[in-house]
Amino acid sequence: MSHTEALTRYTANIVDELVKSGLTEVIISPGSRSTPLAMTVMEHPDMKQWVVIDERSAAFFALGMAKQHKRPVAIVCTSGTAAANYFPAIVEAYYSRVPLVVLTADRPHELRDVGAPQSIDQLKLFGDYVKWFHEMALPDDDTRMLNYARSKASRAVHLASEGNAGPVHVNIPIREPLVPDFTLENLWGNKDNSTYLPTLDGKKRVDQTLLTYLLDKLSQKKRGLIVCGPQTNEDLAEAVTALAAKWNVPVLADPLSQVRSGQHHKDMVIEGYDAFLRNESIRKKLKPDFIIRFGAMPVSKPYLFYVKNHMDVDQYIVEEHSGYREPAGNRTEFIYADSQLLCEDLLAIDKEVSFDSSWLEEWQIMNQVAKKYLMNAQNAGLLTEGEAVKCLMEVIPDASTLYVGNSMSVRDLDTFFMTTPKQLSILANRGANGIDGMVSSGLGAAATGTPTTLLLGDLSFFHDMNGLLAAKHYKINLTIVLINNDGGGIFSFLPQQEQKAQFELLFGTPHGIEFSHAISMYGGTHQVVTKESELEDALFASYQYDGLSVVEVKTERTSNMEWHREQWNRIETELLNGE
């Protein structure tokens, strides 16, 4: 058979098997060597395609979409440095456990290391940041080779989702000519609807003997603490708060834990801990007998100080499959089990376990003091960043997604996002904690059709303005709350702030950009607000708008820092004077 027929059937079997394995969304960045992949993806009737020109933006777009869908999304690019531009998003996907299938077209072997254009070493290009790498054989339409192609496509989708999810990399060398022939009969090959390598994968569960062992250990304690860090299982909240209620222990809920919002009972939920754990005397006073943590390490730096202050405390970390996410370096017992099932199994055991009620009350009182000052704080001047977040959380629609940027945005969310009956999904790129790719990630989440708000700072926005093209191209509905303090606001809270001679150049990094021009260029609406009432009106209007809407809150870094510290000092003063 001809080269073109072999190329077409081989590529069609790969794409069809991706679909049969459950992958139906592909983000394509155009290029020549990837022609057969891109055209075949476009041709498949059950594959949805998104064309994002900039590979860096495309990979983050896929990341946001995979986070929202909670299933694998594929990215396709040509050979050469195009694949290297995927790297930041692949690192983030690896650490935040997001399933991506990375399909990179490549030059055939005879064109490598001979000075051919757009030819770099793509073998294991992403190193240990992918769960699995495979270089495909050259296209061939022998039956055994078509089965081979299907097996690798099926395996890629499965491995991306299996255990701790993450990216996988499939490198595909292709010879010219590159244009496939879609007039061939039986183009998609195998008509069976099942995947080539079906897998039956269950959830991990702790057996009865080990559950009893754990409860026997805990029942000897008086002051327990449950911590819910960043995680995406929206069903955990009901189970973990029910367990906390039975045990009479507080739940420290990170803003990304999916525990602060929803219809479950929240009497045990402590959301203001970041504010009062800043004080070392309070941290030492609140020494627990044990800590059980679900999810990753919380965003809060004061919580990190808290666990470092109590290194001798029994600590248990629940991981769904595997991992050692314990940056404090404390001695820890790891429990590898499905979080929701673990809570339900502990609840079901016929053994009375209850802890000191005065311990819970102490946390609840401190939480109420923190909330009193944080939620009632006013600023006579410009709208502060904290007030902007408070306003956003009041206005944001029920049954929607908030995608939050790093640096100050996620920390202000931690401080000012209080419990709510709204059903909100809170997403962030907290794997590597970078500020790059945030616009594209938010647009990828919004592209699924879920009402989405993106909260981020001006440097994050600047880093990824290329990502706005997808909003214009596909008319994606997204509200962006852009906190503009003309630079890196988070550094004002760090010791570097005292180094006045170098601070602005190296850390403050003022840019002086008028973002309205870029927003207009990409077809979005834009409004600058300085008052809370203006922000409310602008947000309500943005949620009615069809397309990209940017609400810009201009703040001043120094006054914002002083306002935050004033609230923290007022909280500490009342709590310490009340002792």
Side-chain angles (χ1 to χ4, degrees):
M1 292 187 182
S2 70
H3 164 81
T4 297
E5 181 171 350
L7 172 68
T8 303
R9 294 196 183 280
Y10 186 83
T11 309
N13 274 264
I14 292 173
V15 172
D16 187 62
E17 188 59 38
L18 293 175
V19 173
K20 285 184 167 63
S21 300
L23 190 154
T24 57
E25 305 264 4
V26 178
I27 318 302
I28 301 169
S29 293
S32 177
R33 189 61 52 167
S34 56
T35 294
L37 277 171
M39 291 185 66
T40 306
V41 164
M42 297 291 285
E43 187 72 14
H44 199 288
D46 298 320
M47 186 73 84
K48 186 171 179 59
Q49 321 85 20
W50 305 81
V51 177
V52 179
I53 298 170
D54 183 322
E55 286 86 4
R56 183 168 169 270
S57 295
F60 277 107
F61 187 91
L63 178 89
M65 182 175 286
K67 274 182 175 283
Q68 186 74 277
H69 275 320
K70 297 184 177 65
R71 64 173 185 264
V73 171
I75 47 180
V76 171
C77 73
T78 191
S79 63
T81 57
N85 281 286
Y86 281 164
F87 216 133
I90 287 171
V91 170
E92 175 60 34
Y94 177 79
Y95 283 118
S96 58
R97 301 178 177 178
V98 178
L100 295 180
V101 175
V102 183
L103 304 173
T104 56
D106 199 356
R107 292 299 201 253
H109 305 76
E110 67 271 16
L111 292 182
R112 297 176 186 174
D113 198 25
V114 293
Q118 285 193 329
S119 177
I120 67 172
D121 185 357
Q122 295 179 200
L123 302 185
K124 298 191 175 181
L125 177 63
F126 306 113
D128 292 335
Y129 290 110
V130 292
K131 295 177 64 180
W132 179 65
F133 168 79
H134 182 75
E135 167 152 84
M136 297 293 290
L138 287 161
D140 191 323
D141 59 358
D142 177 86
T143 301
R144 289 173 299 175
M145 293 305 293
L146 296 182
N147 288 339
Y148 154 82
R150 284 191 176 273
S151 72
K152 298 309 177 186
S154 179
R155 186 176 177 186
V157 177
H158 168 68
L159 289 177
S161 302
E162 178 265 341
N164 290 331
V168 299
H169 178 201
V170 179
N171 194 55
I172 308 174
I174 306 169
R175 288 192 177 115
E176 296 180 342
L178 301 171
V179 178
D181 177 6
F182 296 128
T183 66
L184 296 175
E185 293 185 6
N186 191 27
L187 175 64
W188 305 112
N190 185 1
K191 295 181 180 179
D192 185 352
N193 288 327
S194 64
T195 181
Y196 192 79
L197 298 176
T199 55
L200 301 176
D201 196 3
K203 294 182 178 180
K204 284 192 175 184
R205 203 163 196 160
V206 176
D207 68 31
Q208 193 75 16
T209 302
L210 292 176
L211 287 173
T212 303
Y213 156 79
L214 177 61
L215 280 180
D216 285 343
K217 287 184 68 174
L218 297 182
S219 63
Q220 301 172 32
K221 314 290 185 181
K222 294 184 179 296
R223 295 150 59 106
L225 193 63
I226 293 176
V227 177
C228 293
Q231 64 93 43
T232 57
N233 182 356
E234 294 171 358
D235 295 324
L236 175 63
E238 186 74 42
V240 77
T241 51
L243 181 64
K246 180 180 179 181
W247 284 2
N248 223 25
V249 298
V251 177
L252 274 56
D254 184 90
L256 307 176
S257 67
Q258 320 308 321
V259 175
R260 294 193 191 183
S261 63
Q263 295 296 319
H264 53 280
H265 293 293
K266 305 183 188 69
D267 293 346
M268 310 292 172
V269 174
I270 309 296
E271 68 269 65
Y273 61 89
D274 179 80
F276 57 81
L277 289 181
R278 292 174 180 274
N279 182 275
E280 186 173 6
S281 296
I282 294 174
R283 294 199 299 267
K284 290 181 177 179
K285 179 183 178 182
L286 292 173
K287 182 175 182 176
D289 293 328
F290 70 86
I291 300 172
I292 300 177
R293 169 157 65 82
F294 298 90
M297 191 70 173
V299 168
S300 170
K301 183 67 72 69
Y303 175 76
L304 176 62
F305 295 153
Y306 176 72
V307 293
K308 284 184 174 181
N309 285 152
H310 304 301
M311 296 185 70
D312 58 327
V313 169
D314 289 353
Q315 181 175 236
Y316 305 86
I317 294 179
V318 182
E319 289 278 11
E320 300 282 331
H321 302 282
S322 62
Y324 293 89
R325 295 183 295 185
E326 210 307 286
N330 291 5
R331 191 170 186 273
T332 300
E333 193 164 338
F334 288 89
I335 302 172
Y336 296 116
D338 180 271
S339 298
Q340 179 186 349
L341 290 179
L342 178 64
C343 291
E344 292 173 353
D345 289 344
L346 288 170
L347 276 166
I349 290 182
D350 186 19
K351 180 180 177 65
E352 281 299 319
V353 179
S354 186
F355 301 99
D356 187 354
S357 61
S358 64
W359 164 252
L360 171 62
E361 291 168 5
E362 191 170 15
W363 279 91
Q364 290 172 325
I365 290 169
M366 289 192 178
N367 196 47
Q368 289 304 315
V369 171
K371 290 169 70 172
K372 176 178 70 174
Y373 289 107
L374 294 174
M375 301 313 289
N376 295 320
Q378 299 292 324
N379 184 44
L382 291 173
L383 183 65
T384 66
E385 295 169 21
E387 290 171 318
V389 172
K390 284 192 293 182
C391 181
L392 168 62
M393 300 315 294
E394 291 173 2
V395 175
I396 192 170
D398 192 8
S400 70
T401 291
L402 173 63
Y403 215 122
V404 59
N406 286 309
S407 294
M408 278 308 297
S409 296
V410 73
R411 288 167 174 81
D412 276 328
L413 188 72
D414 193 5
T415 302
F416 297 101
F417 169 26
M418 302 304 169
T419 55
T420 174
K422 292 178 182 178
Q423 203 70 49
L424 301 174
S425 177
I426 313 295
L427 303 178
N429 294 349
R430 291 298 292 175
N433 299 358
I435 66 169
D436 48 347
M438 288 308 310
V439 171
S440 297
S441 297
L443 283 166
T448 66
T450 303
T452 302
T453 304
L454 174 62
L455 170 68
L456 81 172
D458 50 301
L459 290 185
S460 289
F461 189 82
F462 164 75
H463 263 269
D464 196 26
M465 285 192 292
N466 276 6
L468 292 173
L469 181 60
K472 180 179 182 180
H473 190 176
Y474 291 105
K475 297 181 173 58
I476 298 171
N477 291 333
L478 177 68
T479 292
I480 297 179
V481 178
L482 169 58
I483 307 294
N484 185 359
N485 53 36
D486 194 25
I490 193 170
F491 292 104
S492 298
F493 294 84
L494 300 179
Q496 292 94 315
Q497 194 267 343
E498 300 299 324
Q499 307 303 313
K500 303 299 183 184
Q502 298 90 12
F503 180 78
E504 279 299 287
L505 179 63
L506 295 178
F507 306 105
T509 58
H511 49 74
I513 292 176
E514 177 53 65
F515 289 115
S516 62
H517 302 304
I519 296 163
S520 175
M521 179 173 69
Y522 289 111
T525 66
H526 173 251
Q527 184 173 347
V528 175
V529 300
T530 57
K531 298 178 182 178
E532 187 170 346
S533 59
E534 295 176 347
L535 177 57
E536 286 184 9
D537 292 343
L539 285 172
F540 277 123
S542 75
Y543 293 131
Q544 309 305 314
Y545 180 72
D546 186 19
L548 172 68
S549 180
V550 180
V551 180
E552 183 176 354
V553 181
K554 288 197 173 180
T555 65
E556 200 280 320
R557 277 184 269 129
T558 301
S559 61
N560 180 69
M561 174 195 65
E562 292 170 350
W563 182 84
H564 277 74
R565 287 181 172 168
E566 180 184 349
Q567 311 319 314
W568 295 328
N569 289 336
R570 293 167 71 191
I571 292 166
E572 288 181 10
T573 299
E574 177 165 336
L575 291 177
L576 293 174
N577 290 343
E579 292 183 342

